[in-house]
Amino acid sequence: GDGGDGGNAFPERTIRMVIPYGPGGGYDTYVRLVASYLGDHLGTTIQPQNRAGAGGQIATEDVYNADPDGYTNMIVNVSDFAINQLQEDVDYDLREMTWLGQIAEDLRGIGVAKHTGITTFEEYVEAVQNEELSFYSPGPGSGQVIVPAVLGVVSGLYPAENVTNNVITYDGRGEAFQGMLSGDVDAMAGTYHSILPFTED
């Protein structure tokens, strides 16, 4: 406080909204769409900041270690980051972070590059069984790898190793999409709406 008026109103300055991936993906789009509306509502500027690397761990550690004053926030793929925390020695604890809200709820999906010639689920399964597909991942233990691996195990159609042994790492979904266009990577998993911008009709 400052002597009786209960302190200054929040916010007094720009709020940083960290995006734990590179530009061009679904989370980047979500933040940039919401930032102007949220900024208008709060009466300040919301500054999006991409902090790609290590499957979101660099950004998460940055936000986790920031002053808990409301000026450093982040969009989080909770399932991916929880998996990272369970599987690796990370410098953050999601249980100790404050959760403000939910931007979207989305179905998970797997997209395959046009160069693969795959047009059906059966063709996808056969290609994974034969270890013919490479999968995009932003880092170790990410949902982009966990989703297709778990799909194979739960369905009994292929072992998880047919996915986890064929991973190509990119800093963000935009870079991965460029890799799919160039033929360097064959498949990427994610939420339906994060994959949708990279698909053709």
Side-chain angles (χ1 to χ4, degrees):
D2 61 5
D5 68 359
N8 297 318
F10 176 87
E12 297 180 302
R13 63 182 193 269
T14 297
I15 295 173
R16 184 169 64 120
M17 181 65 75
V18 177
I19 306 161
Y21 306 109
Y27 290 94
D28 184 65
T29 302
Y30 287 150
V31 169
R32 293 179 190 284
L33 285 173
V34 170
S36 63
Y37 295 105
L38 186 58
D40 289 347
H41 179 73
L42 293 174
T44 192
T45 300
I46 307 294
Q47 180 63 55
Q49 180 185 39
N50 295 91
R51 291 285 316 268
Q57 291 181 38
I58 291 171
T60 309
E61 290 170 9
D62 175 38
V63 173
Y64 180 76
N65 291 313
D67 290 336
D69 56 11
Y71 290 100
T72 302
N73 298 284
M74 179 175 147
I75 186 170
V76 176
N77 181 336
V78 178
S79 60
D80 285 358
F81 294 178
I83 289 165
N84 288 347
Q85 184 172 327
L86 290 170
Q87 292 184 334
E88 300 178 39
D89 183 21
V90 296
D91 292 328
Y92 61 82
D93 188 338
L94 296 175
R95 297 168 297 184
E96 296 177 6
M97 298 177 84
T98 301
W99 302 94
L100 300 176
Q102 182 173 337
I103 293 177
E105 184 173 305
D106 217 340
L107 298 171
R108 295 281 178 157
I110 302 169
V112 293
K114 189 174 183 177
H115 70 260
T116 65
I118 294 172
T119 58
T120 67
F121 181 69
E122 290 76 16
E123 291 171 343
Y124 161 80
V125 170
E126 183 179 349
V128 179
Q129 289 171 339
N130 295 330
E131 295 190 73
E132 296 170 352
L133 295 183
S134 60
F135 290 84
Y136 151 66
S137 173
S142 74
Q144 284 81 2
V145 173
I146 297 298
V147 167
V150 168
L151 171 64
V153 171
V154 169
S155 66
L157 293 171
Y158 54 82
E161 293 78 17
N162 286 22
V163 174
T164 59
N165 290 341
N166 295 293
V167 171
I168 297 176
T169 303
Y170 292 92
D171 281 338
R173 193 169 301 279
E175 286 184 25
F177 178 63
Q178 292 303 317
M180 289 180 77
L181 286 177
S182 67
D184 293 333
V185 67
D186 302 315
M188 73 162 105
T191 62
Y192 173 74
H193 284 94
S194 68
I195 295 173
L196 189 62
F198 305 117
T199 62
E200 294 181 352
D201 291 334

